[in-house]
């Protein structure tokens, strides 16, 4: 089955640690996205990538980094510079060549700082 | 910039009654509008989209949405609510800048359907 896989489902981070969230898709989509979800704030865009080896900052990129070395993979690193990383993180993908196609989402990773 | 607004944090409806979840949009050019649903601790699932054509769009699980250009609205509707429809609903609009496209989401509306 085609889809997006995020791992792990739950992640605990100590203060000062960097952690990496995995996102893999087998939909052959060029575009991939990372969103952060906090209660009452909807989804906010962290980073997005339209093609391999290229990515753009979203609205809340500070304290995060990404890479796009393969079409299928778009990992997100939450660095120690992110002051309030506890949130639900969602990865998504869609076709790059069309405005009218829907995005597909992974099941999310819940990150908690302990 | 393109944006959407969901004016209600929560909507309560009794099972069997019709439901409406509101969304208004602000866009330049043609709007590409979407509705997604999220169950607890899960990702978002696509429900339906408006691109062009008929103002009444039908989607998954019996949901439909009405596009109203004069009121800049894209309300989600269902004729008869089920308890299993209880979830968080997001309206979204596609934005494109400098050749890069992304989805911009509203803040979400929690739908609670009581038995």
């Amino acid at each position: 089955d085609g889809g997006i896989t995020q791992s792990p489902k739950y992640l605990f981070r100590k203060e000062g640690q960097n952690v990496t969230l995995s996102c893999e898709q087998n939909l052959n989509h060029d575009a991939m996205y990372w969103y952060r979800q906090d209660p009452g704030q909807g989804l906010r865009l962290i980073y997005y990538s339209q093609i391999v080896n290229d990515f753009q900052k979203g609205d809340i990129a500070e304290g995060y980094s990404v890479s796009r070395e393969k079409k299928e993979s778009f990992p997100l690193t939450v660095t120690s510079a992110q002051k309030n990383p506890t949130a639900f993180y969602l990865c998504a993908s869609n076709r790059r060549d069309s405005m009218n196609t829907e995005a597909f989402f992974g099941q999310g990773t819940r990150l908690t700082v302990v | 910039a393109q944006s959407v607004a969901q004016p209600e944090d929560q909507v309560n409806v009794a099972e069997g009654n019709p439901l409406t979840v509101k969304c208004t949009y602000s866009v330049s050019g043609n709007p590409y509008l979407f509705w997604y649903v999220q169950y607890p601790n899960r990702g978002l699932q696509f429900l339906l989209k408006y691109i062009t054509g008929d103002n009444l769009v039908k989607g998954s699980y019996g949901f439909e949405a009405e596009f109203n250009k004069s009121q800049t609205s894209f309300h989600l509707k269902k004729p008869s609510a089920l308890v299993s429809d209880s979830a968080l609903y997001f309206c979204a609009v596609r934005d494109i800048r400098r050749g890069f496209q992304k989805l911009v989401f509203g803040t979400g509306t929690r739908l609670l359907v009581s038995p």
Side-chain angles (χ1 to χ4, degrees):
Chain A
D1 286 339
I4 299 182
T5 302
Q6 289 186 243
S7 62
K9 187 168 183 174
Y10 298 96
L11 186 58
F12 298 90
R13 192 195 93 168
K14 293 182 180 179
E15 295 278 355
Q17 268 186 339
N18 292 355
V19 290
T20 297
L21 283 59
S22 171
C23 178
E24 303 276 334
Q25 54 97 2
N26 60 4
L27 299 166
N28 200 34
H29 287 164
D30 285 304
M32 297 187 74
Y33 309 82
W34 274 105
Y35 288 91
R36 171 179 170 143
Q37 185 177 14
D38 296 282
Q41 294 195 47
L43 276 70
R44 293 183 290 168
L45 184 63
I46 305 173
Y47 268 98
Y48 57 111
S49 169
Q50 302 285 290
I51 199 167
V52 173
N53 292 325
D54 186 48
F55 47 83
Q56 305 293 319
K57 291 183 178 180
D59 302 315
I60 56 164
E62 184 176 354
Y64 300 97
S65 66
V66 294
S67 62
R68 188 82 188 278
E69 297 176 0
K70 298 187 300 182
K71 188 175 185 177
E72 302 79 18
S73 179
F74 191 40
L76 173 73
T77 297
V78 185
T79 75
S80 57
Q82 171 50 238
K83 298 306 179 188
N84 184 23
T86 295
F88 191 52
Y89 291 86
L90 287 161
C91 180
S93 73
N94 66 254
R95 285 172 50 188
R96 182 172 66 97
D97 58 344
S98 173
M99 289 282 285
N100 63 5
T101 56
E102 61 271 23
F104 291 80
F105 282 79
Q107 294 302 296
T109 294
R110 186 165 297 280
L111 174 63
T112 304
V113 175
V114 296
Chain B
Q2 323 286 51
S3 66
V4 290
Q6 295 181 244
E8 302 158 315
D9 290 335
Q10 182 163 314
V11 170
N12 298 305
V13 64
E15 188 173 33
N17 284 356
L19 70 87
T20 298
V21 182
K22 295 179 180 178
C23 173
T24 58
Y25 65 88
S26 174
V27 303
S28 55
N30 294 323
Y32 296 89
L33 297 162
F34 302 80
W35 275 103
Y36 287 83
V37 60
Q38 184 182 34
Y39 298 97
N41 292 313
R42 305 297 296 274
L44 274 65
Q45 296 177 33
F46 169 74
L47 281 178
L48 51 79
K49 63 185 177 185
Y50 173 82
I51 306 302
T52 188
D54 290 340
N55 290 341
L56 186 63
V57 179
K58 294 192 181 295
S60 305
Y61 312 120
F63 283 92
E64 56 191 28
E66 186 173 9
F67 174 74
N68 188 316
K69 188 173 183 178
S70 62
Q71 297 186 6
T72 62
S73 66
F74 188 53
H75 300 333
L76 182 70
K77 301 183 179 188
K78 189 173 183 181
S80 179
L82 299 172
V83 172
S84 58
D85 291 330
S86 299
L88 188 57
Y89 290 81
F90 288 98
C91 181
V93 63
R94 180 141 286 155
D95 188 15
I96 183 165
R97 294 187 207 177
R98 302 191 302 275
F100 295 103
Q101 56 166 303
K102 59 182 180 179
L103 275 176
V104 177
F105 287 86
T107 51
T109 298
R110 186 165 302 280
L111 174 66
L112 184 60
V113 182
S114 55

